[in-house]
Amino acid sequence: MKSWRMVLMCAALLLVAGSLLAQGTGGSITGTVTTAGNSLPGVTVTATSSSMQGVRSTVTGQAGGFNIPALPPGLYDVTFELEGMQRLTRRVRVELAQTVRANADLKVSLVRESVTVTATAPSVMERPQVVTAFDAETIDQLPANRSIRETTLLSPGVNDAGPNNQIVIGGAQSFDSLFLVNGAVVNENLRGQPHNLFIEDAIQETTILRGAIPAEYGRFTGGVVTTLTKSGGDDFSGSFRDTLTNDDWKGETPFPAEAPHIDEVNHAFEATAGGRILADRLWFFVAGRDEDSSQTLATTGTNIPYTREFQMERWEAKLTGLLFSRHNVVGSYIKSDSSTVNLASGVIVDLASLVTRDEPNSLVSFQYSGVITNSLLAEASLSRMNFSFIQGAETRDLIRGTLLRDSGNGRRFWSPTFCGHVCPPKQRDNKSLLVKGTYFLSTRATGNHTIVSGYEDFHQLRNENNYQSGSDYRIHGIFHYDGPDVYFGVDGSEESDNEIEYDPVPALSQTSDFAVRSLFVNDKWDLTSRWIFNVGLRFDQAYGNDQAGKKTVDDSAVSPRLSATFDPVGNGRHRITANYSRYVSKVDQGPADLTATAGRYASYYWDYRGPTINPRGTPIGQMVPVEEVIRRVFEWFNSVGGPNNRTFLTSAQVPGVDTRFEGSLRAPSMDEISLGYGMALGGSGFFRIDAMNRQWQDFYVIRRNRTTGIATDANGNEFDAGIIENSTDNLERTYNAIQLQAAYRLLDIVNVGGHYTWAKLRGNVEGELPNFATTLTSSNSFPEYTSFARNNPVGYLLADMRHRAIGWVDVAPPFPFGELNVSLLQRYHSGLPYSAIGTIDVQASSTFYGPGQPGGVSNPGYILPPANVNYYFSKRGELRTNEVFSTDVALRYTMPIRRAAITLMTDVLNVFDNDAIEDPDFITQTVQTRRQVTSLQRFDPIRGDVPERGVHWQTVPAFGQPADARAYQLPRTYRFAVRVRF
């Protein structure tokens, strides 16, 4: 009922809307009209298409140039007319967020005659953008998922090597790209990945911008992915699809403890319908999706099988209206409700750690475009995305709600992460307003200018009381395994690294609002037929208040975008491009909210020095039950003062107390230089190569040293104060890449395409982890304890993928009845890096570091000096997972039935069942030092000690081996679908 009420609301607003449109919902046609080599002004240029209501026309200027912006993607007939000249029509394809060129050379004609050029213009990029575009039909023919995520991963310069397999574009952190649906932002606020606010069969086209991106787009340092959904039309059409999967249709990996696959057919139903309410004036489009699936997984270490169940419903309603001549409005509403039963947070070893996660999600957007004059177009947009989720422990009880973690490898046990329905839901929303204008100027002296300028106001809103467990406590200790059973122990000795962690939320969130107000101008300047320049400038004013209502962001930045395109031959079939651009991100919610005294949690860590319970080597039959271990730990903890204890407190992070801002945070930025060459291949293909260098600066850091002072909380407890700021000192993140892409269509029955990326991502700033969306670099904290090269060395970062290639061939051979389509998709990428990292204690101690050699750092006056620091025993990123090869095939057969067509589809993924170890997040990387194994010796890297393997450190026997079936690439998998179109 709510969905239909929203549809009616959209319809009502469409009738009164007058100033609303979004970025990335259309493309442009531009060109120059000449006669006998001379520019020809005064030519009427008209564009018509079944994708657009009405017609669009303009008149060429003094330099013979024209521009028709804000066109829905699709095939267009562009007609050129002038009295006394031959009438010419060219057919071109407009792609999303791209400009296509349609030049014309008119001849004098004494009688009226018309010439039609039916061939589509060669697909050489008109702009210098490093870009890839996919329409829905192309994706549908391939053995690939049709989601925004999977389509993005078909582009060069992109991989899924971010934490939790998140998308990384151009070496940026995975949270720092921009995803748009119908021009509205659909990024998840913290992780930055796209929400599932789409129905696959409703997608019309997706474009991935990876470099030389114009100033119209901001708040990112990675790339821009813009997706447009369908809009209906004058003809009624629709579809119904059922996609069938089964966990049992997927092969098994070599992991010996992989859970048996459940044999249950899963269905994902999709339906779309569109058509006219008023011919050529008001169109409707509706779509829905219903998925109910299950998958068998297993816990780590104990290998207990469980079934994860997933239910999701999505709906879309869209109206496209022509208010009056050359003024269009669009309103869309997308809703997604999902529930995941038996979801794991982190690496779990038992079923009690599983949770149910509920995610209501919606997107409303309204758009307007109006041709004011032949040279001026006005556009604007308004959008709102709402997202909330609930997951975690369903009790606040001290025993049942306390999360247990293995201090050696971080595995989780006993109680879920976070707090569920007994705590308030977490909300992460955004809203945006955009107004812009496009002005076209054509003069003989300066050529043709397409000038886009505008204003954007974007807000990220967060109301999130971030409880880390049901009881707010976590205990870090020892896990003992007896088949599927797990026992817990704690070691109270001085050398132990067992801890008690307390993460209270001091006050409920008041909703943070971090915003960016932007002004931009971009001039696409066609100086001559051979030289095209792009000159852009963007100004971003960032401001915002944290969840306690305190202002933490108030800063501004300017980002120039400059590029040049040269046609060396002058026939439009070759392009040489050069680009310099600066991209300024937004200030991310994580660091901007770190000092909030509401919503965020504080963290206190105490060394456990109570009685040793269930030490290593204890016979299983003599183990103390888990409930009793937890009770005894808290009994000791309360006996020494509980949360007020200072004797065993090793570290604390208290928002608003131990951390502060001095001035405002700045948004990180990135400088990009690229060179490219593109050429047309015949009349239906292209090749392009781009070389790119990207360098980031102004990283989020925390500085804590003897000059940053002491902070005191309300209870009189003292802490070493830290300052959250931006810095580039001794920090780097650099991406160098060569990207190739090509496509060719032969005789309309063979379509070949692909790309290859060579890249290096180096530095010493990761900025994110699987368990933390954004992390602060702490190399400037406690410098007395971390001033050695192996604490944070420069090397290959976790998302470094040296080689990545994807190629496809799609063949539609002649067939006696119906249509047959066969496609092959070949994937390859090199292994991902990981390192041998351990924690060491460098504090001064009576314990000798070596024969007769005391060592360690004497506390220079810190309240809580670090109990341990990181040490890279290998070079950063020195170790690698396997190379990955996968061959996927698809078969499609379409049979016409009267006015409809039914298509049977089957995909086979990883046909040869390759089993490479692909994901380092699921391999064992445990390195032990004196902190875990007392027989190992301490060493002092600050005085120059070089650790020796087997003496000072060691890896566990399973180091580098899979700890979970998810470490392997997807095994051979079958899936089927049936679709009806009418």
Side-chain angles (χ1 to χ4, degrees):
M1 290 297 294
K2 292 182 179 179
S3 298
W4 288 111
R5 285 199 297 269
M6 183 56 67
V7 172
L8 294 175
M9 184 183 299
C10 292
L13 288 172
L14 277 170
L15 298 178
V16 297
S19 60
L20 309 169
L21 181 89
Q23 285 177 331
T25 58
S28 301
I29 300 175
T30 193
T32 303
V33 182
T34 59
T35 181
N38 299 314
S39 58
L40 189 60
V43 177
T44 299
V45 184
T46 303
T48 59
S49 173
S50 61
S51 301
M52 178 181 64
Q53 293 170 338
V55 299
R56 290 281 300 278
S57 62
T58 187
V59 177
T60 58
Q62 293 181 11
F66 72 94
N67 184 66
I68 307 177
L71 297 173
L75 281 174
Y76 282 77
D77 287 330
V78 185
T79 302
F80 304 87
E81 294 180 286
L82 182 65
E83 187 68 28
M85 307 298 292
Q86 179 189 63
R87 183 178 184 268
L88 178 67
T89 299
R90 293 188 63 88
R91 176 159 292 180
V92 298
R93 175 174 289 279
V94 173
E95 295 179 336
L96 181 62
Q98 290 299 292
T99 297
V100 62
R101 179 168 289 275
N103 293 334
D105 185 53
L106 301 187
K107 296 178 172 56
V108 176
S109 178
L110 298 179
V111 296
R112 184 173 179 83
E113 61 177 318
S114 179
V115 175
T116 300
V117 181
T118 58
T120 302
S123 184
V124 176
M125 312 311 178
E126 172 61 22
R127 288 184 177 180
Q129 298 170 7
V130 185
V131 64
T132 309
F134 296 98
D135 60 49
E137 291 301 317
T138 299
I139 297 298
D140 200 36
Q141 299 298 339
L142 298 176
N145 290 332
R146 295 163 294 130
S147 66
I148 294 174
R149 169 186 168 85
E150 296 302 321
T151 300
T152 301
L153 289 170
L154 288 175
S155 174
V158 180
N159 63 44
D160 59 353
N164 306 310
N165 302 120
Q166 292 167 183
I167 296 171
V168 172
I169 302 179
Q173 291 152 328
S174 65
F175 56 77
D176 213 11
S177 290
L178 182 65
F179 292 89
L180 306 170
V181 172
N182 294 335
V185 176
V186 295
N187 291 64
E188 197 279 332
N189 285 9
L190 295 184
R191 291 287 183 181
Q193 298 296 286
H195 282 296
N196 290 321
L197 287 166
F198 59 86
I199 291 103
E200 287 89 335
D201 263 5
I203 291 176
Q204 179 174 338
E205 193 162 333
T206 297
T207 295
I208 302 98
L209 305 169
R210 310 183 318 278
I213 302 170
E216 299 170 50
Y217 299 93
R219 304 186 309 275
F220 69 93
T221 66
V224 177
V225 180
T226 178
T227 297
L228 183 68
T229 63
K230 298 174 183 178
S231 299
D234 279 338
D235 296 324
F236 291 100
S237 62
S239 65
F240 175 82
R241 181 194 298 249
D242 181 13
T243 300
L244 298 88
T245 59
N246 188 323
D247 199 34
D248 197 45
W249 298 344
K250 182 173 66 175
E252 295 186 355
T253 70
F255 190 67
E258 181 175 356
H261 294 193
I262 185 172
D263 185 6
E264 182 176 320
V265 177
N266 305 313
H267 296 269
F269 298 105
E270 299 172 59
T272 69
R276 65 180 183 273
I277 298 174
L278 296 173
D280 206 28
R281 195 160 189 88
L282 183 60
W283 296 342
F284 77 91
F285 180 80
V286 293
R289 185 182 192 275
D290 183 24
E291 178 181 355
D292 191 345
S293 61
S294 57
Q295 180 184 13
T296 301
L297 299 171
T299 58
T300 300
T302 50
N303 305 314
I304 306 171
Y306 63 91
T307 300
R308 186 174 66 190
E309 299 175 358
F310 179 73
Q311 299 92 34
M312 173 177 280
E313 289 185 358
R314 302 183 205 162
W315 303 93
E316 178 179 6
K318 189 174 186 180
L319 290 171
T320 303
L322 181 65
L323 289 180
F324 43 89
S325 179
R326 303 199 297 182
H327 291 266
N328 296 82
V329 290
V330 179
S332 67
Y333 173 68
I334 305 174
K335 183 173 178 59
S336 172
D337 289 318
S338 68
S339 179
T340 306
V341 180
N342 289 337
L343 177 71
S345 293
V347 180
I348 66 167
V349 302
D350 69 330
L351 301 184
S353 299
L354 297 170
V355 299
T356 295
R357 179 180 173 108
D358 297 319
E359 294 186 6
N361 199 186
S362 65
L363 175 68
V364 180
S365 64
F366 300 103
Q367 304 136 22
Y368 159 84
S369 65
V371 179
I372 310 303
T373 69
N374 282 337
S375 300
L376 179 63
L377 174 83
E379 303 175 75
S381 75
L382 183 66
S383 68
R384 172 84 186 213
M385 186 194 75
N386 292 327
F387 170 69
S388 63
F389 67 96
I390 300 173
Q391 72 174 78
E394 297 298 342
T395 177
R396 301 285 280 165
D397 180 72
L398 186 64
I399 302 297
R400 301 305 306 182
T402 294
L403 173 66
L404 306 180
R405 299 197 68 176
D406 189 318
S407 60
N409 53 35
R411 293 177 180 176
R412 305 178 185 211
F413 171 56
W414 187 254
S415 185
T417 306
F418 307 129
C419 183
H421 289 82
V422 294
C423 297
K426 300 178 180 181
Q427 296 175 281
R428 301 173 185 174
D429 307 333
N430 75 52
K431 60 182 180 180
S432 179
L433 169 68
L434 168 70
V435 292
K436 71 176 183 178
T438 302
Y439 182 73
F440 183 73
L441 176 66
S442 179
T443 68
R444 294 185 184 279
T446 62
N448 301 315
H449 298 261
T450 303
I451 303 170
V452 179
S453 60
Y455 166 79
E456 188 174 10
D457 186 16
F458 177 76
H459 295 252
Q460 287 194 117
L461 310 170
R462 183 185 187 191
N463 187 307
E464 182 170 343
N465 300 292
N466 197 9
Y467 300 98
Q468 294 297 289
S469 66
S471 69
D472 295 338
Y473 280 96
R474 300 180 175 191
I475 302 174
H476 302 251
I478 306 165
F479 283 17
H480 302 274
Y481 300 97
D482 180 30
D485 298 322
V486 183
Y487 297 88
F488 186 66
V490 286
D491 184 350
S493 66
E494 183 179 347
E495 293 292 333
S496 169
D497 59 356
N498 290 184
E499 296 177 308
I500 297 173
E501 176 185 348
Y502 179 45
D503 304 311
V505 174
L508 295 182
S509 171
Q510 300 177 31
T511 304
S512 65
D513 183 354
F514 293 108
V516 182
R517 290 174 177 160
S518 306
L519 294 171
F520 58 86
V521 60
N522 203 91
D523 180 11
K524 180 178 171 295
W525 176 21
D526 295 17
L527 177 61
T528 68
S529 61
R530 294 194 175 193
W531 283 102
I532 301 173
F533 298 94
N534 191 85
V535 181
L537 190 68
R538 186 179 180 94
F539 172 79
D540 293 313
Q541 174 70 52
Y543 66 98
N545 301 325
D546 65 19
Q547 293 190 84
K550 180 181 178 181
K551 178 175 283 190
T552 59
V553 177
D554 187 2
D555 193 55
S556 61
V558 174
S559 47
R561 315 279 176 89
L562 307 171
S563 64
T565 302
F566 176 61
D567 183 346
V569 180
N571 61 2
R573 301 184 62 81
H574 300 267
R575 290 284 192 270
I576 298 173
T577 61
N579 155 70
Y580 164 76
S581 292
R582 167 164 287 197
Y583 307 101
V584 177
S585 183
K586 61 188 181 303
V587 177
D588 288 285
Q589 282 192 342
D593 213 32
L594 271 178
T595 62
T597 55
R600 288 200 59 83
Y601 62 93
S603 289
Y604 302 84
Y605 294 84
W606 292 269
D607 277 338
Y608 176 74
R609 293 296 177 259
T612 296
I613 311 171
N614 294 341
R616 289 182 174 88
T618 302
I620 293 298
Q622 299 177 20
M623 288 285 179
V624 176
V626 176
E627 296 96 327
E628 180 63 17
V629 175
I630 298 173
R631 190 192 65 77
R632 292 185 191 180
V633 168
F634 281 115
E635 183 179 72
W636 169 82
F637 183 57
N638 291 328
S639 72
V640 296
N644 295 318
N645 176 275
R646 300 291 298 178
T647 303
F648 303 111
L649 186 68
T650 58
S651 66
Q653 295 84 45
V654 185
V657 176
D658 76 315
T659 54
R660 69 178 188 271
F661 294 104
E662 288 188 351
S664 169
L665 269 184
R666 298 192 304 275
S669 62
M670 181 268 289
D671 290 334
E672 171 189 276
I673 298 174
S674 64
L675 295 171
Y677 168 73
M679 65 176 293
L681 300 176
S684 57
F686 76 93
F687 166 82
R688 177 161 180 160
I689 180 171
D690 293 280
M692 182 180 297
N693 169 264
R694 289 179 152 196
Q695 297 190 27
W696 282 260
Q697 51 269 329
D698 290 334
F699 305 103
Y700 300 121
V701 303
I702 183 166
R703 175 167 54 91
R704 201 186 305 265
N705 55 39
R706 294 298 301 135
T707 69
T708 55
I710 303 297
T712 306
D713 68 10
N715 297 321
N717 297 315
E718 293 185 332
F719 302 90
D720 301 297
I723 297 172
I724 301 171
E725 59 190 9
N726 301 91
S727 177
T728 312
D729 295 342
N730 300 315
L731 300 173
E732 64 178 84
R733 185 183 182 100
T734 302
Y735 175 80
N736 290 293
I738 297 175
Q739 302 174 7
L740 294 85
Q741 56 182 322
Y744 192 80
R745 179 174 290 277
L746 178 64
L747 301 177
D748 288 331
I749 62 171
V750 179
N751 187 22
V752 181
H755 62 78
Y756 164 74
T757 301
W758 173 93
K760 280 188 177 182
L761 178 63
R762 287 181 57 84
N764 57 357
V765 177
E766 296 287 357
E768 55 184 341
L769 292 170
N771 296 330
F772 296 95
T774 50
T775 59
L776 302 180
T777 300
S778 59
S779 59
N780 292 329
S781 289
F782 302 110
E784 297 86 354
Y785 295 83
T786 59
S787 58
F788 56 90
R790 292 274 183 146
N791 176 251
N792 189 34
V794 172
Y796 295 113
L797 299 177
L798 295 177
D800 175 64
M801 187 178 285
R802 188 61 34 77
H803 305 281
R804 184 171 184 265
I806 294 179
W808 61 85
V809 56
D810 176 23
V811 182
F815 205 70
F817 181 73
E819 297 179 4
L820 181 66
N821 184 275
V822 182
S823 65
L824 180 145
L825 184 66
Q826 180 67 48
R827 307 173 193 255
Y828 161 78
H829 69 76
S830 53
L832 292 174
Y834 62 100
S835 309
I837 310 172
T839 58
I840 61 173
D841 183 357
V842 294
Q843 292 186 10
S845 170
S846 57
T847 303
F848 288 91
Y849 280 74
Q853 296 292 324
V857 178
S858 297
N859 187 356
Y862 291 111
I863 302 298
L864 292 172
N868 61 85
V869 296
N870 282 340
Y871 189 94
Y872 278 75
F873 293 96
S874 68
K875 294 180 181 179
R876 188 177 206 131
E878 179 180 14
L879 309 173
R880 295 270 171 170
T881 58
N882 301 147
E883 294 181 319
V884 174
F885 295 86
S886 180
T887 304
D888 308 333
V889 297
L891 180 65
R892 310 281 188 261
Y893 173 67
T894 301
M895 178 174 57
I897 304 176
R898 295 186 179 180
R899 299 180 59 185
I902 183 169
T903 303
L904 305 177
M905 313 177 191
T906 182
D907 294 341
V908 184
L909 311 180
N910 192 5
V911 171
F912 300 107
D913 203 22
N914 296 322
D915 57 5
I917 299 172
E918 180 176 22
D919 193 341
D921 288 346
F922 295 101
I923 64 175
T924 300
Q925 300 183 38
T926 305
V927 174
Q928 297 174 327
T929 64
R930 173 76 177 189
R931 289 181 54 78
Q932 293 81 35
V933 180
T934 56
S935 61
L936 295 173
Q937 298 180 17
R938 298 178 73 176
F939 66 98
D940 186 356
I942 296 175
R943 72 179 182 188
D945 289 357
V946 178
E948 184 179 342
R949 187 168 188 166
V951 177
H952 302 101
W953 69 283
Q954 65 185 24
T955 58
V956 297
F959 184 85
Q961 298 302 309
D964 191 286
R966 289 170 290 180
Y968 292 93
Q969 71 180 102
L970 180 73
R972 183 189 295 122
T973 301
Y974 300 89
R975 62 190 182 196
F976 305 91
V978 57
R979 180 188 66 202
V980 178
R981 279 183 174 175
F982 57 88

